[in-house]
C-alpha cells in the first residue's frame, strides 16, 4: 500500500500539474508548469515541525501553510486572474496532501 501511496503522491505532484499546464495554459504551458512546481515550496512549513517529517502525520490542519484558514485563502486567490495558476497549484498540493492523509489513516493504525 505504501508504494501505491508514493506513486499517487509523486504523480499528483509532478505529472498531473504538467497535464493541467498543457491543457489549461497551452500558450504558456512551460511557465505554468514551473509555477505549479514552485507552489510545492509551501512544504517549507514542514521545517517548523519537530520532527519535520513523520510518516503518520497528516499535513492538513497541522502545518501553518496547510491549515484550513490557509486553504480558504488559496481558494480565494482563484478569483483573481493574476493569481489563478498559483491558486490551482496550491489547491492541487492540498488535495494531494489530503489524499496522503486518507492513506495514513489506513497505514498507521
Amino acid at each position: 500500500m505504501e508504494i501505491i501511496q508514493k506513486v499517487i503522491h509523486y504523480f499528483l505532484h509532478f505529472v498531473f500539474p504538467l497535464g493541467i499546464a498543457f491543457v489549461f495554459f497551452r500558450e504558456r504551458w512551460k511557465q505554468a508548469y514551473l509555477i505549479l512546481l514552485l507552489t510545492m515550496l509551501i512544504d517549507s512549513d514542514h521545517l517548523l515541525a519537530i520532527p519535520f517529517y513523520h510518516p503518520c502525520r497528516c499535513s492538513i490542519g497541522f502545518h501553518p501553510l496547510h491549515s484550513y484558514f490557509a486553504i480558504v485563502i488559496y481558494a480565494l486567490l482563484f478569483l483573481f486572474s493574476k493569481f489563478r495558476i498559483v491558486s490551482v497549484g496550491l489547491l492541487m498540493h492540498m488535495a494531494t496532501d489530503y489524499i496522503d492523509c486518507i492513506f495514513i489513516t489506513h497505514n498507521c493504525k
Side-chain angles (χ1 to χ4, degrees):
M1 191 68 126
E2 287 182 41
I3 293 173
I4 293 170
Q5 177 186 0
K6 289 186 188 311
V7 168
I8 291 171
H9 182 87
Y10 290 110
F11 173 83
L12 291 174
H13 271 320
F14 294 103
V15 180
F16 189 67
L18 180 61
I20 294 292
F22 193 72
V23 170
F24 294 103
F25 306 100
R26 185 165 296 191
E27 311 80 43
R28 54 188 180 130
W29 71 269
K30 290 178 186 176
Q31 179 187 15
Y33 183 58
L34 179 63
I35 292 169
L36 292 172
L37 291 179
L38 286 172
T39 61
M40 284 191 275
L41 290 172
I42 198 138
D43 275 342
S44 62
D45 66 350
H46 290 244
L47 298 174
L48 300 173
I50 299 174
F52 66 86
Y53 173 75
H54 190 284
C56 293
R57 179 172 57 218
C58 177
S59 297
I60 304 297
F62 183 83
H63 300 293
L65 297 176
H66 290 69
S67 68
Y68 296 105
F69 178 74
I71 293 170
V72 170
I73 292 172
Y74 306 151
L76 290 173
L77 284 175
F78 190 81
L79 300 174
F80 303 95
S81 61
K82 186 174 185 177
F83 298 107
R84 196 156 288 149
I85 297 172
V86 172
S87 173
V88 168
L90 293 171
L91 292 171
M92 283 183 1
H93 185 94
M94 294 301 120
T96 299
D97 284 359
Y98 180 74
I99 291 168
D100 275 350
C101 293
I102 293 169
F103 277 106
I104 286 170
T105 59
H106 295 302
N107 294 342
C108 295
K109 289 184 180 182

